[in-house]
Structure formats: C-alpha cells, structure tokens
Amino acid sequence: MLGILFLVALGLVAIVVVSSVRQGRRFIRAGLYLHELEGGRPRHEANAAAALLFTGESSAPADAHAAQIAEARRKRTGETQAQVIGTAREKGFEG
C-alpha cells in the first residue's frame, strides 16, 4: 500500500516538473519572439527563431542567451511568465 502511494506521489511530482519545464521553455520562446519583433523582424521570422529554441538545431549557449533575454524583459516590464506569453500571443506568437 505504501509503495503504491509512493509511486502515485512520484508520478504527480513528475507531471508537475514536466509541466513546469514546458511553461519555462514557452516563456523563453515568447520572450525571444517579442525581442525579435521589437528588433524589426516580421512575425513569421520571429516565430521561426523562437521555434528553433530547445531543438537539435539550437545550441545550449543560444538557448541560455534567449533565457537571459526573456528574463531581462520580465524584470524590465514587471510581467509574470504567463503575462509575457500572453503578450506574445496577442502579437502573433505561435509557440
């Protein structure tokens, strides 16, 4: 019985961790998308740049740089991660 409860708890923790990682990656992609838009790139190019993050075509340094861009935006604007994602979606973010 205790073993089953442990496995259920472990499964729930795994679900929370996976969800958190997905949310974090979406935030970073959204932050990069907004950065690219503000730099003058068209929506389709900004979406393409954001979509490359965390794929085999990206690199750890590129992903880390995008994370720094997203976090700097969050601090500058005072927005939460969810608000950054929402703002990006309002402006055409597809991630």
Side-chain angles (χ1 to χ4, degrees), residues 10-74:
L10 187 61
L12 290 174
V13 168
I15 290 169
V16 168
V17 168
V18 167
S19 176
S20 178
V21 167
R22 284 184 183 159
Q23 176 75 5
R25 287 182 174 182
R26 188 174 297 122
F27 160 68
I28 294 168
R29 287 184 179 114
L32 180 69
Y33 173 81
L34 291 169
H35 178 77
E36 294 293 318
L37 276 185
E38 291 164 359
R41 285 184 111 178
R43 287 182 180 179
H44 71 279
E45 288 182 16
N47 269 309
L52 285 178
L53 293 175
F54 307 108
T55 67
E57 296 178 37
S58 187
S59 65
D63 295 343
H65 182 66
Q68 290 172 345
I69 289 170
E71 184 61 18
R73 177 188 182 82
R74 190 193 63 73

